[in-house]
Every structure is written in C-alpha cells, then in structure tokens.
Amino acid sequence: MVSKREKLYQAVERLKGLRCPVCGGDVERAGEAFACARGHSVNVHRKWCLNVLSVPIESCYDRGLFAARRQVFAAGCYAPVVEAVEALLPEGKHRLLDAGCGDGWYLNALLTRHPDWCGAGVDISRDAIMAATDQPCAAVWCTADLRRLPFRDGCFTAVLDVLTPASYAEFARVLTDDGLLVKVYPGREYLRELRAARGLPPYEEGQVDAYLRQKTTVVGEKRVTAAWPVTPELWRSFVWMTPLNQDLSAEEKEALAVKPADTVTIDLHVAACRWRA
C-alpha cells in the first residue's frame, strides 16, 4: 500500500506545476519539503498535503459536513455528475484541477477511472483537505485561496468547478490555451425537497448561467436530473451535508432530519467552457 507521503511526491512529480505563493517562482521537491529557488518553502502538513494560506480562514465546511457528504456520495446520488464531466472532456490524458474540491470525491472518482491522468484539489477549508488526503488516488491536495492558486500558468487541461464560487481570472491563467472549465451549477429543482422543508422557494436560474456565458464560450452542456429515493438516514445526511443549511444550529438541523421526504432531487447543469480569444 502506497503511503500518503509517497502519493503526494508522486502527484507533484507527475503534475510538475507548483508555483511559489510568495514570489511566483517554480517550486521543486527539496528533501521531504518543497521550495522555490529563492528558498521560500511550501508548508507540508503531517497528513501529507500542502498549505499555502498565510493565515487560517474559517469555513462552515467542517468535519460533520464531510462525514455526511461521504454517506450521500456512497449512495451514488452524484455519480451521474462524474459521468457527465467525463463525457464533456475530450479524449486524451488530462491534468485536472478540482477547484473547491471539498473532500476530493469528484477528483478521486475521475483519477481512479483514468489512472493515466493526474491532478490537484484545492479548497480553502482545512477540514476539507484533511478529508481529501484519505481518498485512494494520488493527487496534490492543497489548502489555498481560489483567487491565488499555487500553480504555474497553463498547468491544467481542465478545471472542475462543482457548486463552488468561481475565480475566472485564475482559472484562465492556470489552464492551457485550449483548456476547459467544467462548471457544475444548480438547476431550478436542485434539492427541492430540502428547500421546501425550510420554506424556501426553488433556485432562481439565470444569474450563474448568464455570467458564465459572458466570460466564456460554452462548447458542451449536459443536464443531470433525478429524484433519488432516500431512507431516513440518507435524508439526514443530505440535511447535514448541504451548505444550504449551514446557517442552522445543530438542533435546527436535527429538527429537519426527523421529518424526511421520500426523495431528494438532483438537478444540475454541467457546462464545458473555453475562454474567448
């Protein structure tokens, strides 16, 4: 079994794309650490991931949320999203960035299916990246701000942005000239049952889509829609895993969890985009 340390070293070597967060120079392995030619080092956590944040940033994405997400992902509710992403990516080897990767489930699913691909996952949540290091794949997991990615220009053939605020300028910088941004964003019926349980209306479509088309040219699209039957246990995991409910106390979440619906609706747009010349 390959250790987390070796998986990190392998992933960095295959990607060949780390950039110093201080001076922007190339970062290479230096013994068990990573540093640029000017001697600026990149912090390597004991769980063998990287941290380029100068100060910790608080996030609502905590261990409880990711434990609930694991249950939802294990049930297969988001597997069609991975299939849609695969269908939109062109043939060939890819270097993927999962921007706002959370616990790394999407990146792991893609790299596991395609062992000749390599990639990195970035999230501002320390708990997210700690959870991501438990994924089986070899990837560069990094706590970082999406507005200042620790990667070289043109490092990736595709950036995956799933239900996460985008940093379009940085995505464009780290993509190859013909690279793709694959954006996943909610349709009107996404998590309809959870929103109804809170007395919230459906998502208003249009704003994300309009901004995406303003910034990029959409070259391929898919829609993932399904009403998944859920057990009371799986309903509880949905309640706890969605950022929709992160303004609620634990007691308020439990009050939602004890009144399960029969289904949860997944309704997501998946769009492959290129920057306009």
Side-chain angles (χ1 to χ4, degrees):
M1 182 176 178
V2 181
S3 68
K4 290 183 180 181
R5 177 177 66 178
E6 288 306 315
K7 286 198 292 185
L8 174 62
Y9 291 158
Q10 290 174 12
V12 170
E13 176 60 26
R14 291 183 68 188
L15 188 63
K16 298 184 184 299
L18 287 181
R19 185 175 87 156
C20 178
V22 178
C23 67
D26 293 347
V27 168
E28 305 291 348
R29 182 176 170 183
E32 291 196 346
F34 299 93
C36 71
R38 295 186 179 183
H40 302 130
S41 61
V42 176
N43 181 36
V44 181
H45 190 268
R46 59 182 174 81
K47 289 200 73 172
W48 297 101
C49 55
L50 307 180
N51 175 34
V52 299
L53 293 177
S54 56
V55 293
I57 297 177
E58 290 188 11
S59 170
C60 67
Y61 294 77
D62 57 19
R63 295 178 184 179
L65 180 147
F66 291 114
R69 277 171 58 116
R70 281 194 293 272
Q71 300 303 314
V72 172
F73 286 140
C77 303
Y78 288 84
V81 178
V82 175
E83 295 167 3
V85 171
E86 280 185 305
L88 290 171
L89 289 175
E91 294 290 332
K93 295 182 180 180
H94 283 286
R95 300 188 304 278
L96 301 179
L97 172 64
D98 189 349
C101 67
D103 62 357
W105 184 85
Y106 289 101
L107 183 60
N108 177 71
L110 290 163
L111 295 186
T112 300
R113 293 180 185 218
H114 302 275
D116 57 335
W117 295 6
C118 63
V122 170
D123 204 287
I124 206 164
S125 165
R126 180 177 177 273
D127 285 335
I129 295 300
M130 295 299 102
T133 63
D134 293 329
Q135 297 289 359
C137 70
V140 181
W141 303 112
C142 185
T143 306
D145 190 332
L146 297 187
R147 296 168 297 181
R148 193 178 183 189
L149 294 167
F151 302 106
R152 300 173 189 170
D153 296 359
C155 180
F156 298 98
T157 61
V159 171
L160 181 60
D161 183 68
V162 182
L163 300 172
T164 302
S167 180
Y168 288 102
E170 274 294 84
F171 294 170
R173 182 185 66 78
V174 300
L175 277 169
T176 57
D177 290 341
D178 61 346
L180 288 176
L181 165 64
V182 182
K183 177 79 173 171
V184 181
Y185 54 101
R188 176 177 171 80
E189 298 300 308
Y190 185 57
L191 303 184
R192 173 175 57 83
E193 298 84 354
L194 284 162
R195 295 182 70 87
R198 290 200 57 184
L200 299 174
Y203 276 100
E204 290 187 15
E205 292 196 70
Q207 185 175 0
V208 172
D209 188 77
Y211 192 72
L212 182 67
R213 293 172 193 274
Q214 175 187 336
K215 291 289 185 179
T216 70
T217 297
V218 176
V219 297
E221 297 178 81
K222 290 188 175 293
R223 187 83 174 256
V224 175
T225 57
W228 285 85
V230 293
T231 62
E233 292 77 15
L234 187 55
W235 169 264
R236 183 182 186 279
S237 294
F238 268 105
V239 168
W240 278 86
M241 77 96 180
T242 174
L244 172 68
N245 292 330
Q246 292 313 296
D247 62 323
L248 301 181
S249 66
E251 292 76 14
E252 289 170 322
K253 290 178 188 177
E254 286 301 331
L256 282 179
V258 298
K259 298 177 181 178
D262 295 327
T263 60
V264 170
T265 300
I266 304 298
D267 180 17
L268 294 168
H269 298 274
V270 185
C273 316
R274 285 196 172 97
W275 267 260
R276 295 190 180 96

